[in-house]
Amino acid sequence: MTTGFFDGIDKVRYEGPDSDNPLAYRHYNPDEVILGKRMEEHLRFACAWWHSFAWEGGDPFGGLTFERPWHPQDSMANAKLKADVALEMFDILGQPFFCWHDADLRPEQGSYGENLATLDEITDYIGAGMEGRDLGCLWGTANMFSHRRWMAGASTNPDPEVFAYAAATVKGCMDATMKLGGQNYVLWGGREGYETLLNTDMGQELDHMGRFLSMVVDYKHKIGFKGTILVEPKPQEPSKHQYDYDAATCIGFLRKYGLENEVKLNLEQGHAILAGHSFEHELAVAASEGMLGSIDMNRNDYQSGWDTDQFPNNVPEVALAYYHVLKAGGFDTGGTNFDAKLRRQSIDPVDLIAGHVGGMDVCARGLKAAAAMLEDGGLEDALAGRYADWQTERGQGILASDLESLQAQVLREGLDPQPRSGRQERLENYVNRFV
Ligand code: XLS
Ligand code: NI
Ligand code: NI
């Protein structure tokens, strides 16, 4: 028996690029082998419980537009209905994974103890639903930003009791993630930052955040959680400034607290844009440090300046993103989580399916283009050529030298290095052959 929510919508299938069926995959062909691996295993798609099922369609000027049968989300019965619908959507899409916050899954019913008990109950229920399905949990996380107790931060709150509450909350969420076979555990610190420096001791708050993350890592080892701990950078929104500003900031933070070998990054397209970067910039920064863990795939409106979390629809952008993912060796425990939501006027159940179908197809197309570029090797050859002189004895000698010796060398040899073209237009034209 189904919930009937998606009545009339069949399982989405791959029909090839020429299909004009709006609910078919034209590029996402899970079994197609690319660079020796099935497409499904490359992309490792996940749906986000919060955007697809918990978000009610509100914006700062108006309330819910979606009016789903599981609203209001304040009872266990509705939480279970929501879970049933979620599982049906994963079946329709053939989604291999999902991601969640505690508050997306369980009803918000009050005390810590009550919320822990309902989280346990609903994750048992979801776990039972996963049996017999080809479905896994990509990651779980704690929502430590919505409830008013978190308004001044979770681990960076000036009140130590909030720190304790945050620790208890994350422990509960890590336990639930492990129970669902989660492959990663994510921390995104929406309120770990400040509204004004006038009331903020930044150094102390960062120390507390580092201490907290060390506790998370210790607990991971204690319970034998095999997944990866990931932090998710975002520069601001909801806070004026967030400490996990961007990939480079997070990497510096992890090194400062000795966590660089324990924690990786979950990078989001929209957050990269908010930080004034491109998505591939963030991926390249993380990859260059061996810290590329997973991605939150979406797109931002380039004009609004908000985290609009739209489904991706720009193939060239996505292709360059996957190029860096593939170059870094692809995903290990990570994957492609659609941290993406419908526009609030898209109120029909079929819109949820269409959003994901389009997003998955754009990613599949991007992946194919990225793989083709890698196989062709044009960019890698150009890169190798540009740095080739460093491979010579002379280049290595320069690197191992010192200022005085290099001054002497320049004088002795009468060095006058001639500028060489960076060939940017030729490289851009090259990329456009593939996308
Ligand atoms: C919000 C973040 C959030 C995280 C999980 O901007 O993207 O959705 O992915 O807490
Ligand atoms: Ni995200
Ligand atoms: Ni986001």
Side-chain angles (χ1 to χ4, degrees), residues 405-426:
S405 317
L406 289 174
Q407 184 189 48
Q409 182 180 354
V410 169
L411 288 170
R412 187 175 64 245
E413 298 182 3
L415 281 191
D416 181 19
Q418 294 305 302
R420 306 171 191 178
S421 172
R423 304 179 174 203
Q424 182 168 338
E425 294 75 11
R426 279 178 271 175

Side-chain angles (χ1 to χ4, degrees), residues 20-235:
D20 58 6
N21 174 357
L23 292 186
Y25 297 122
R26 292 185 298 131
H27 297 278
Y28 181 56
N29 182 9
D31 292 323
E32 186 175 327
V33 173
I34 291 176
L35 300 176
K37 209 156 88 174
R38 291 173 60 248
M39 208 188 258
E40 182 178 14
E41 290 160 32
H42 272 291
L43 291 163
R44 295 167 57 83
F45 285 132
C47 282
W49 214 278
W50 52 103
H51 285 318
S52 289
F53 310 112
W55 185 55
E56 299 180 339
D59 71 8
F61 293 88
L64 73 150
T65 56
F66 289 152
E67 300 191 342
R68 304 300 195 206
W70 57 90
H71 296 165
Q73 303 178 67
D74 57 0
S75 68
M76 186 50 81
N78 277 352
K80 287 183 176 167
L81 174 61
K82 180 166 57 172
D84 291 340
V85 169
L87 294 172
E88 286 169 17
M89 187 173 91
F90 307 152
D91 288 345
I92 290 172
L93 292 168
Q95 281 276 341
F97 294 106
F98 62 91
C99 301
W100 53 270
H101 303 80
D102 49 353
D104 309 326
L105 303 182
R106 55 148 172 77
E108 184 72 43
Q109 283 177 333
S111 74
Y112 174 79
E114 282 161 325
N115 282 343
L116 187 66
T118 51
L119 181 65
D120 196 38
E121 183 179 344
I122 193 70
T123 45
D124 278 346
Y125 186 79
I126 294 167
M130 289 166 75
E131 275 167 33
R133 282 186 159 93
D134 208 1
L135 179 66
C137 167
L138 187 66
W139 49 263
T141 188
N143 178 329
M144 300 196 293
F145 43 88
S146 293
H147 192 279
R148 64 195 291 275
R149 80 173 63 86
W150 310 118
M151 69 180 187
S155 70
T156 64
N157 201 292
D159 179 350
E161 290 187 2
V162 178
F163 184 104
Y165 204 105
T169 301
V170 167
K171 180 195 175 291
C173 287
M174 288 175 75
D175 291 341
T177 302
M178 182 142 153
K179 180 168 81 181
L180 292 174
Q183 305 212 3
N184 307 270
Y185 184 83
V186 166
L187 296 108
W188 168 67
R191 307 270 176 204
E192 313 293 27
Y194 62 77
E195 292 303 321
T196 172
L197 277 176
L198 295 174
N199 66 11
T200 304
D201 185 335
M202 204 165 10
Q204 182 167 1
E205 290 198 358
L206 282 165
D207 283 349
H208 293 178
M209 199 161 98
R211 178 77 194 107
F212 190 87
L213 197 51
S214 300
M215 291 184 186
V216 170
V217 167
D218 288 348
Y219 187 63
K220 163 193 154 149
H221 291 303
K222 173 147 199 231
I223 60 177
F225 177 63
K226 294 280 169 271
T228 311
I229 305 289
L230 302 169
V231 294
E232 182 176 323
K234 185 177 183 180

